[in-house]
Amino acid sequence: MKKILCLLLCLSVPAFAQKFEGLALTPPMGWNTWNTFAANLNEAVVMATADTMVKNGMRDAGYVYIVLDDCWALRERDAAGNMVPDPAKFPGGMKALGDYLHARGFKFGIYSCAGSKTCGGYPGSMGNEYQDARLFASWGVDYLKYDWCSTGTRDAREAYTTMRDALFAAHRPVVFSACEWGHSKPWEWAKDVAHLWRTTGDIVDCYDCTQRWAQGWKVILDLQYSLVQPADGQNNGIGQYAGPGHWNDPDMLEVGKPGLTFAESRGHFSMWCMLAAPLIAGNDVRSMTPEIRAIMTDKEALAIDQDPLGKEGWRMRAQSGHEIWVRELAGGDWAVALLNTGSTATDLSIDFPSMWLIAGKFKIRDIWDKKDAGMNDQVFTKHVASHDVALLRLTKVK
Ligand code: GLA
């Protein structure tokens, strides 16, 4: 009887297919090869990065997914139709690399694409989803970033659902990261398909530049925020679609990259925490400065990003030169960000006593200055550098 039941269930896995639940109850954190290494990734870099992240506290702060992005494979599949890791870049093979990462407390992430080819021209998974998912499972893969190049007229919902089902059928829990750039409004359909979905095009390490394929973090912030304008008066953009297990992804971090000033790196990190964004570092952690390391491992900032309520922050005010963002946290607390969008340092204020939204008695903590900053019965003012953020946590006094 048991055998018959198992046979029925096992054969019918695709019909019961679903997303692996419970894997991303807070936004995933980790490091990805793309923003620094692009096509020049290799196992030595990945292992050295993992070793550094053990030593510098990043792993213990929660950055556990180490993800290989595009360009890890050979240009052609083998005779059996399998993707082949480039032996010049990964001489030890993917299983050994996965074992190396797992032995050090990390999870192993890889990249593929819903099209016939990846954006870099390597084999994509279109038509090979089940075979690829089984191969990834055999390597111990825990996270899949799934891109959208060379997809022709393919329907995004179908493509991502097919790979979700293939991952589920391979029986190894995988965080599924949809990288479809927001074209088909994945926030409207991907909740049960992926754990996170990109909302925009690619990020690059500048504050507000716009390149052909990529833009600075402030442009991405504005884009994600403008995607949906709900008519209910409380405009939190597409924040309403995010929550535990399913996150809007405004792309990986450029924090610590050369195109950003220190203030811009800190502003970027603060705003990604306000957005409940996945925190996937993209800098060369082997040579990061102590100041950047301190930002990225700051427990109080990370507690905002990883808040268990999982509510995305929203822009309460945008005026010439500054913006005020708020985020509701578990236990009745709030996070508040004062962002200096001007080109010079200036005093920014928030008039807490006149705020109807954050009513009641709260203690104010200035997260970047590491000091308590009074109560919400007075106006808070701080001198903030250009493109930097004053990041506050308001703790409810019960
Ligand atoms: C796309 C993605 C990027 C990166 C590259 C790799 O542009 O959006 O994040 O994965 O492809 O080619």
Side-chain angles (χ1 to χ4, degrees):
M1 183 62 191
K2 252 189 188 165
K3 265 189 189 159
I4 295 174
L5 197 67
C6 172
L7 201 66
L8 280 174
L9 283 174
C10 299
L11 287 178
S12 58
V13 159
F16 288 94
Q18 57 178 64
K19 183 176 105 176
F20 289 104
E21 294 296 350
L23 297 182
L25 295 177
T26 60
M29 293 171 61
W31 179 84
N32 173 300
T33 54
W34 185 253
N35 285 357
T36 291
F37 297 98
N40 299 318
L41 75 174
N42 61 58
E43 71 183 25
V45 158
V46 174
M47 288 170 170
T49 297
D51 293 345
T52 307
M53 289 169 72
V54 173
K55 287 197 211 108
N56 74 8
M58 284 181 75
R59 179 200 62 188
D60 292 345
Y63 295 86
V64 293
Y65 289 97
I66 303 247
V67 184
L68 311 182
D69 208 284
D70 200 358
C71 313
W72 57 264
L74 286 181
R75 296 261 172 202
E76 301 299 332
R77 290 173 179 266
D78 68 13
N82 284 320
M83 289 183 178
V84 184
D86 183 338
K89 294 174 178 171
F90 296 94
M94 290 305 180
K95 172 76 171 74
L97 182 56
D99 289 348
Y100 186 93
L101 296 174
H102 290 143
R104 284 154 186 79
F106 291 102
K107 297 199 177 282
F108 181 28
I110 210 160
Y111 162 103
S112 188
C113 183
S116 54
K117 288 202 182 310
T118 71
C119 300
Y122 297 85
S125 289
M126 185 158 76
N128 281 286
E129 290 88 350
Y130 283 77
Q131 179 169 4
D132 292 350
R134 281 195 300 274
L135 185 67
F136 298 155
S138 77
W139 292 342
V141 164
D142 310 292
Y143 182 109
L144 176 65
K145 173 174 171 181
Y146 203 49
D147 214 339
W148 190 241
C149 279
S150 301
T151 44
T153 57
R154 199 166 183 193
D155 175 72
R157 187 173 187 164
E158 170 279 311
Y160 284 91
T161 305
T162 301
M163 188 43 113
R164 175 203 69 176
D165 294 353
L167 292 169
F168 197 73
H171 295 298
R172 184 176 172 91
V174 168
V175 170
F176 191 31
S177 157
C179 177
E180 172 275 356
W181 318 314
H183 290 184
S184 70
K185 301 188 178 171
W187 46 92
E188 287 180 356
W189 57 261
K191 183 170 181 240
D192 299 321
V193 176
H195 299 91
L196 58 159
W197 50 79
R198 281 274 296 278
T199 54
T200 70
D202 289 4
I203 196 167
V204 68
D205 61 334
C206 66
Y207 172 67
D208 62 357
C209 66
T210 297
Q211 301 177 357
R212 188 148 176 235
W213 296 114
Q215 46 253 307
W217 66 260
K218 181 59 167 73
V219 182
I220 301 249
L221 181 72
D222 291 345
L223 269 175
Q224 171 158 317
Y225 191 67
S226 70
L227 285 168
V228 172
Q229 304 283 335
D232 64 6
Q234 179 150 321
N235 182 351
N236 74 339
I238 59 170
Q240 60 190 301
Y241 297 101
H246 47 99
W247 305 102
N248 289 316
D249 175 9
D251 206 359
M252 303 177 286
L253 295 171
E254 297 286 357
V255 175
K257 294 277 305 294
L260 296 177
T261 64
F262 174 74
E264 288 168 344
S265 273
R266 188 160 72 177
H268 172 24
F269 191 74
S270 305
M271 294 316 301
W272 263 229
C273 290
M274 292 299 288
L275 289 178
L279 297 179
I280 308 294
N283 57 328
D284 188 344
V285 303
R286 301 169 306 173
S287 56
M288 74 205 288
T289 64
E291 292 75 22
I292 291 292
R293 190 198 63 80
I295 290 175
M296 295 183 77
T297 55
D298 186 274
K299 284 201 167 70
E300 292 177 292
L302 291 174
I304 291 177
D305 181 74
Q306 299 285 300
D307 184 78
L309 193 60
K311 274 201 161 182
E312 193 170 313
W314 50 282
R315 188 163 59 200
M316 203 184 76
R317 187 180 307 156
Q319 281 175 347
S320 164
H322 80 277
E323 295 180 5
I324 296 179
W325 288 69
V326 293
R327 177 173 173 193
E328 196 183 343
L329 304 174
D333 289 3
W334 286 86
V336 173
L338 309 182
L339 165 61
N340 180 359
T341 56
S343 54
T344 53
T346 190
D347 280 352
L348 296 184
S349 293
I350 177 163
D351 182 5
F352 284 123
S354 70
M355 278 178 79
W356 57 266
L357 184 71
I358 304 180
K361 213 171 159 193
F362 291 85
K363 272 192 334 199
I364 300 169
R365 174 80 174 164
D366 181 330
I367 289 179
W368 295 131
D369 277 3
K370 293 276 150 267
K371 66 173 195 212
D372 296 333
M375 307 287 295
N376 65 327
D377 56 359
Q378 53 196 359
V379 175
F380 173 90
T381 302
K382 184 172 180 183
H383 199 64
V384 181
S386 167
H387 307 159
D388 200 354
V389 161
L391 186 62
L392 309 178
R393 184 182 184 109
L394 275 64
T395 303
K396 184 137 193 131
V397 179
K398 290 181 178 128

